[in-house]
């Protein structure tokens, strides 16, 4: 038990010297004052004693309440599995199956004791549909010579300088090649050199030089440079370390075991030092064999640098990932199996997906998915819906399986699709009646009214959102020669923005900067990304709510998107009804005239403003649209990812294998029945069918009342009740030792050791609850209840072999005849329940009421002990009789301390006055004595 320590004496010393302290009179003033205050100090000590005893008593009461409530929670609470007040507890049944591999059974309290014969003729199964052929296509790639080549690209005063280092094998030759490239482009004052340790120095006397992100990774590694590094000032330099053995690294995983495969450009060069794609495939095969073993992964050369990658057996999975995947013409994560984490557009389906939007229904529930969704998210959406199915994918079989979540006949699976062919790729379902393009985006955003004479502050930001990700580019700090902040001109800010855009988004395959800004505020978007600008938060409107160009110019100093007119209002390159085909690079689509708006498309092509896509709807197989993009690809391929589309067709599809669901067939005690599930309840028996049984080997279920559990719980109840009874009687019978050992004062504690204090305080608490009327009343009430026999009940406790033991045990319960108790439970369960749980007369019902009247913690109806002592952490903690009494004692102590201080002050003042008078009399006496000499 925790002890609340409380000071048992007033802490201010009564004899504090605040005057002459008997220096003249010779009196022991301090002792006299202390003696005069002893009466008040005694009153303070007495109140502290009463307070400490009250606190200890409160703690003891709270401990009693805690023990009673723990006992109640265990045996009287409906959330407890040992709740003796539950009628079902006395009806607990146990069942044993003669064949656990065929049938599992759990008996509910409503089950009837006896034997049950079960014959399983057929298990229930769920309807399912499984891919008939592997879902994944062959893992194919194409050697990307541009990625493997050792190319480093510089820009010098706006001129592009390309250095190809293929076949250059020593440092001197590399330096000569770099210098020749600059000279060849007419760039003077830029020179490269290398020292004996291979340290490269690129120096510029005047030209601004930058390492372009068009450079390949292996080219940059060869010179030891990084994309974006630049020389901005006269006589600047770039430094690196030459590495003539730079290679391309490609990460490949086989069945979860990852290896890094390297391609050395020097080993795969043609006579003209270009990358030989056939050699590259051969070298790649050799490296794969070295890392995974010969034959584990095989590359089949398809010509022109194209190849397929297969494994020795169908069940194995290959994944190509990381930046090096681009060297093989793949995206990171591409695999010969379906990956849940990849977007639909990147998955290697055997039946290629067409379009960027897929709408379909499963069991009448409609679903929509876009090509940007991951397969995992699409399956989660389906599996968590109320379509009543679950779709899974087996990488071992490379097949999808869809199964009804409810077993039995009648729970079928129906699938159809409206747009696209996702279900065709997964299950061979007939294609939809339309196909949707990817989301269309304009190839530019035109800013409104760019600021012409911008002076941007250092720290100004250019904020842009690309494909849902926010980017912020901040002008770096710079100063004038006098140390004052130096602003940026519009041209300098524009150059900075484009450098950051180039660094972040790079270039397209045809060499255009992916996203680039021009001085007139036109943002070119050449990579098909969705680009957005939020409306500026700056205050740029006047009192009338109109845009004030003066305020715009001020705000633009810190907001570079505003400076180029891109965020006066929220803007993006998403399309609308006024967007022309030329704006999205589709001029001439299906023979359309110049300037045709998306909203003016008709016939088989229509623009859906809600989704920002073009819908292609027609009939028959092999349908297509006409037109060729500027990059030479067909509009059909650009919009829908395929040269032709099949509508509402099964051409080229293999229908999935379907299995109908069936009901379970079972015979129970000779009665044949069917169930839609293998789990069901009959006559209180919860039955789970596991397998079909032989005709001559039925399962026998033997159900009996679980008397062992009932007896063990009652024995536990008696044990805990007796322990509680013993402890509480101990409190009531303790000698009143506390009267001889009152709480120690502070002064007394100073004279004792910690051990002595501990032993003293133990005795100070003994007997505080002696003959306590509330506790003794509770025990008396409970004992009386347990001796009773409810009206119309056949039994009392003593009829069950449970007695109250000897008189000296003070009411403890004893099971004298356990065999008799078990017999009564087995034969007279209802009568025993009446003894314990009759709604009005049951002994446990009454006992629970007595417990609540004594120890209920509820703030609405607290028990007597809770009203008296309260409980920590509850509303009653401060609102109880003893807490109020303690507060009254503390108030009285405070009042006595005030009196003490007043008396002490008065006594000291009186003694000090006396000392002054004695001093005066002594002086006069000495003067008189001197006068008479």
């Amino acid at each position: 038990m925790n002890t609340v320590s409380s000071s048992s004496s007033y802490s201010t010393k009564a004899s504090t010297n605040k005057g002459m302290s008997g220096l003249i009179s010779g009196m022991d003033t301090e002792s006299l004052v202390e003696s005069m205050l002893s009466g008040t100090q005694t009153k303070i000590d007495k109140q502290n004693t009463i307070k400490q005893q009250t606190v200890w008593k409160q703690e003891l009461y709270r401990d009693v309440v805690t023990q009673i409530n723990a006992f109640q929670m265990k045996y009287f609470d409906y959330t407890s599995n040992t709740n003796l007040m539950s009628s079902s507890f006395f009806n607990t049944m146990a069942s044993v199956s003669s064949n656990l591999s065929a049938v599992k059974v759990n008996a509910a309290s409503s089950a009837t004791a006896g034997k049950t014969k079960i014959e399983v003729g057929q298990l229930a199964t769920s309807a399912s549909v499984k891919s008939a052929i592997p879902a994944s296509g062959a893992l194919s790639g194409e050697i990307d010579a541009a990625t493997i080549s050792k190319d480093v690209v510089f820009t010098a005063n706006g001129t592009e300088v390309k250095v190809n280092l293929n076949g250059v094998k020593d440092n001197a030759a590399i330096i000569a090649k770099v210098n020749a490239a600059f000279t060849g482009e007419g760039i003077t004052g830029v020179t490269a050199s290398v020292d004996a340790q291979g340290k490269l120095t690129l120096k510029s006397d005047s030209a601004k030089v930058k390492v372009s992100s068009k450079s390949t990774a292996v080219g940059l590694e060869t010179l030891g440079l990084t994309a974006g590094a630049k020389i901005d000032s006269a006589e600047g330099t770039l430094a690196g370390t030459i590495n003539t053995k730079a290679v391309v690294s490609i990460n490949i995983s086989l069945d979860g075991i990852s290896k890094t495969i390297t391609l050395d450009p020097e080993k795969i060069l043609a006579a003209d030092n270009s990358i030989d794609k056939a050699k590259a495939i051969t070298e790649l095969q050799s490296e794969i064999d070295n890392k995974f073993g010969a034959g584990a992964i095989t590359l089949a050369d398809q010509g022109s640098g194209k190849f397929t990658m297969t494994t020795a057996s169908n069940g194995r999975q290959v994944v190509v990932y990381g930046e090096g995947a681009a060297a093989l013409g793949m995206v990171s994560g591409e695999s010969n199996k379906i990956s849940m984490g990849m977007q639909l557009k990147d998955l290697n389906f055997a039946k290629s997906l067409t379009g960027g939007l897929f709408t379909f229904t499963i069991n009448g529930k409609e679903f929509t998915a876009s090509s940007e969704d991951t397969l995992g998210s699409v399956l989660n959406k389906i599996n968590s819906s109320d379509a009543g199915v679950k779709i899974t994918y087996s990488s071992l079989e490379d097949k999808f399986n869809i199964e009804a979540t409810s077993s039995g006949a009648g729970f079928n699976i129906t699938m159809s699709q409206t747009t696209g062919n996702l279900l065709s790729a997964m299950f061979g379902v007939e294609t939809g009646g339309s196909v949707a393009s990817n989301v269309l985006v304009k190839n530019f955003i035109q800013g409104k009214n760019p600021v012409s004479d911008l002076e941007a502050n250092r720290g100004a930001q250019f904020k842009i959102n690309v494909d849902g990700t926010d980017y912020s580019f901040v002008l770096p700090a710079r100063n004038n020669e006098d140390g004052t902040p130096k602003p940026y001109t519009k041209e300098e800010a524009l150059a900075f923005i484009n450098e950051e855009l180039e660094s972040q988004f790079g270039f397209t395959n045809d060499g255009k900067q992916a996203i680039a800004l021009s001085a007139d505020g036109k943002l070119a978007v050449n990579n098909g990304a969705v680009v957005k600008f939020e409306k500026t938060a700056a205050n740029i409107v006047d009192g009338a709510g109109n845009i004030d160009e003066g305020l715009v110019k001020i705000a633009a100093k810190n907001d570079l998107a505003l400076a180029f007119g891109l965020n006066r209002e929220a803007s993006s390159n998403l399309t609308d009804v006024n967007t022309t085909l030329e704006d999205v690079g589709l001029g001439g689509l299906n023979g359309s005239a110049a300037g045709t708006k998306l909203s003016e498309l008709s016939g088989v092509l229509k623009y859906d403003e809600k989704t920002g896509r073009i819908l292609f709807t027609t009939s028959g197989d092999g349908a297509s649209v006409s037109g060729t993009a500027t990059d030479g690809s067909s509009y059909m391929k650009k919009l829908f990812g395929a040269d032709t589309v099949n509508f509402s067709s099964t051409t080229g599809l293999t229908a999935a294998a379907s299995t109908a669901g069936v009901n379970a067939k079972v015979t129970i005690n000779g009665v044949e029945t069917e169930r839609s599930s293998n789990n069901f309840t009959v006559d209180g028996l919860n039955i789970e069918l596991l397998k079909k049984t032989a005709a001559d080997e039925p399962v026998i279920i033997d159900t009996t009342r679980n008397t062992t559990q009932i007896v063990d719980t009652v024995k536990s109840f008696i044990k805990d009740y007796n322990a509680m009874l013993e402890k509480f009687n101990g409190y009531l019978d303790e000698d009143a030792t506390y009267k001889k050992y009152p709480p120690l004062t502070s002064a007394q504690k100073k004279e004792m050791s910690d051990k002595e204090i501990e032993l003293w305080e133990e005795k100070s608490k003994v007997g505080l609850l002696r003959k306590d009327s509330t506790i003794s009343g509770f025990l008396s009430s409970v004992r009386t209840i347990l001796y009773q026999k409810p009206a119309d009940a056949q039994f009392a406790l003593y009829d069950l072999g449970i007695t109250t033991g000897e008189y000296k045990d003070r009411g403890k319960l004893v099971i004298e005849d356990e065999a008799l108790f078990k017999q009564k439970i087995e034969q007279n369960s209802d009568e025993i329940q009446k003894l314990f749980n009759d709604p009005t007369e049951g002994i446990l019902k009454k006992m629970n009421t007595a417990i609540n009247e004594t120890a209920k913690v509820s703030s609405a109806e607290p028990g007597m002990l809770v009203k008296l002592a309260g409980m920590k952490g509850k509303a009653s903690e401060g609102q109880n009789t003893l807490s109020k009494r303690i507060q009254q004692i503390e108030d009285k102590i405070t009042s006595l301390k005030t009196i003490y201080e007043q008396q002490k002050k008065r006594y000291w003042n009186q003694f000090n006055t006396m000392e002054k008078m004695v001093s005066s009399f002594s002086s006069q006496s000495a003067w008189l004595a001197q006068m008479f000499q």
Side-chain angles (χ1 to χ4, degrees), residues 213-226:
S213 57
K214 288 184 179 180
S215 307
T216 63
V218 67
L220 292 173
E221 185 180 353
T222 300
L223 292 186
L225 299 176
T226 57

Side-chain angles (χ1 to χ4, degrees), residues 752-811:
M752 301 171 69
S753 67
D754 291 342
K755 186 63 177 178
E756 288 173 331
I757 293 172
E758 180 184 348
L759 294 173
W760 183 283
E761 289 190 341
E762 284 181 3
K763 295 179 179 179
S764 298
K765 299 172 186 177
V766 175
L768 287 171
L769 297 184
R770 178 178 172 78
K771 299 186 182 300
D772 183 88
S773 59
T774 305
I775 297 176
S776 61
F778 167 70
L779 294 181
S780 176
S781 174
V782 170
R783 282 195 295 266
T784 301
I785 290 169
L786 291 175
Y787 299 155
Q788 293 176 350
K789 176 189 287 189
D792 300 326
Q794 183 177 344
F795 302 125
L797 280 181
Y798 48 78
D799 294 316
L800 306 179
I802 301 175
T803 69
T804 56
E806 300 180 11
Y807 176 78
K808 66 177 182 177
D809 291 329
R810 305 285 297 277

Side-chain angles (χ1 to χ4, degrees), residues 97-99 102-103 105 116-123 664-675 678 680 687-701:
S97 171
S98 64
N99 186 348
V103 177
V105 177
T116 302
K117 183 172 75 172
I118 299 177
E119 299 169 88
V120 184
Q122 174 178 285
L123 293 179
K665 294 183 179 180
V666 61
T667 301
I668 303 175
N669 289 339
V671 179
E672 294 184 3
T673 185
E674 290 190 16
R675 290 292 189 275
N678 292 314
F680 54 90
I687 300 172
E688 180 181 2
L689 307 181
L690 301 176
K691 71 175 184 179
K692 182 178 178 180
T693 59
D696 57 347
E697 295 181 2
V699 176
I700 305 300
I701 306 300

Side-chain angles (χ1 to χ4, degrees), residues 1 80 88 236 362 433 448 510 606 669 706 730 754 779 853 872:
M1 183 188 306
S80 171
S88 62
I362 299 177
K448 293 183 179 180
D510 56 1
K606 289 186 180 179
N669 289 339
N706 193 348
D754 291 342
L779 294 181
E853 290 174 349
K872 279 191 174 183

Side-chain angles (χ1 to χ4, degrees), residues 227-290:
K230 57 186 176 179
I231 302 173
D232 271 339
S233 58
E235 298 185 358
T237 59
L238 290 175
T241 300
I242 293 177
N243 177 14
T244 58
K245 297 181 180 180
V247 296
V248 177
S249 296
I250 304 164
N251 295 317
I252 297 179
S253 168
L254 178 62
D255 298 331
I257 299 175
S258 297
K259 304 285 186 179
T260 299
I261 308 300
T262 59
L263 271 181
D264 185 348
E266 298 302 321
K267 294 182 179 181
I268 56 176
L269 296 178
D272 61 355
N273 282 334
S274 63
I275 300 298
D276 187 319
K277 295 183 178 181
K279 284 185 178 180
I281 294 174
T282 302
E283 180 65 17
L284 183 62
Q285 180 71 74
S286 175
E287 288 295 310
I288 289 175
D289 289 346
N290 288 338

Side-chain angles (χ1 to χ4, degrees), residues 757-888:
I757 293 172
E758 180 184 348
L759 294 173
W760 183 283
E761 289 190 341
E762 284 181 3
K763 295 179 179 179
S764 298
K765 299 172 186 177
V766 175
L768 287 171
L769 297 184
R770 178 178 172 78
K771 299 186 182 300
D772 183 88
S773 59
T774 305
I775 297 176
S776 61
F778 167 70
L779 294 181
S780 176
S781 174
V782 170
R783 282 195 295 266
T784 301
I785 290 169
L786 291 175
Y787 299 155
Q788 293 176 350
K789 176 189 287 189
D792 300 326
Q794 183 177 344
F795 302 125
L797 280 181
Y798 48 78
D799 294 316
L800 306 179
I802 301 175
T803 69
T804 56
E806 300 180 11
Y807 176 78
K808 66 177 182 177
D809 291 329
R810 305 285 297 277
K812 288 184 179 180
L813 297 175
V814 178
I815 298 181
E816 292 189 340
D817 192 339
E818 186 172 324
L820 174 63
F821 184 37
K822 286 184 178 180
Q823 179 186 14
K824 297 294 184 183
I825 291 173
E826 291 173 352
Q827 298 176 353
N828 302 92
S829 169
D830 293 341
E831 287 299 323
I832 291 177
Q833 286 187 62
K834 184 181 292 185
L835 166 64
F836 282 99
N837 294 321
D838 182 85
T840 57
E841 298 294 323
I843 60 175
L844 293 184
K845 292 282 187 180
K846 289 185 175 182
M847 188 174 182
N848 192 48
T849 299
I851 288 174
N852 286 335
E853 290 174 349
T854 303
K856 190 173 184 179
V857 180
S858 168
S859 58
E861 301 178 59
M864 289 182 290
L865 283 179
V866 178
K867 289 180 181 178
L868 179 61
M871 289 297 288
K872 279 191 174 183
K874 304 295 182 181
S876 61
E877 182 174 3
Q879 298 297 317
N880 59 79
T881 301
L882 291 184
S883 289
K884 292 176 181 177
R885 187 179 302 168
I886 290 169
Q887 184 59 55
Q888 291 171 351

Side-chain angles (χ1 to χ4, degrees), residues 447-451 533-538 540-541 547-550 552-553 559 561-571:
K448 293 183 179 180
N449 302 325
V451 175
F533 291 91
E534 296 292 337
K535 182 179 180 180
T536 181
I540 59 173
V541 297
I547 292 179
D548 185 321
E549 295 302 329
V552 170
K553 185 175 181 180
D559 186 342
L562 179 61
F564 289 91
L566 292 166
N567 65 345
R568 285 177 175 240
E569 299 292 337
S571 63

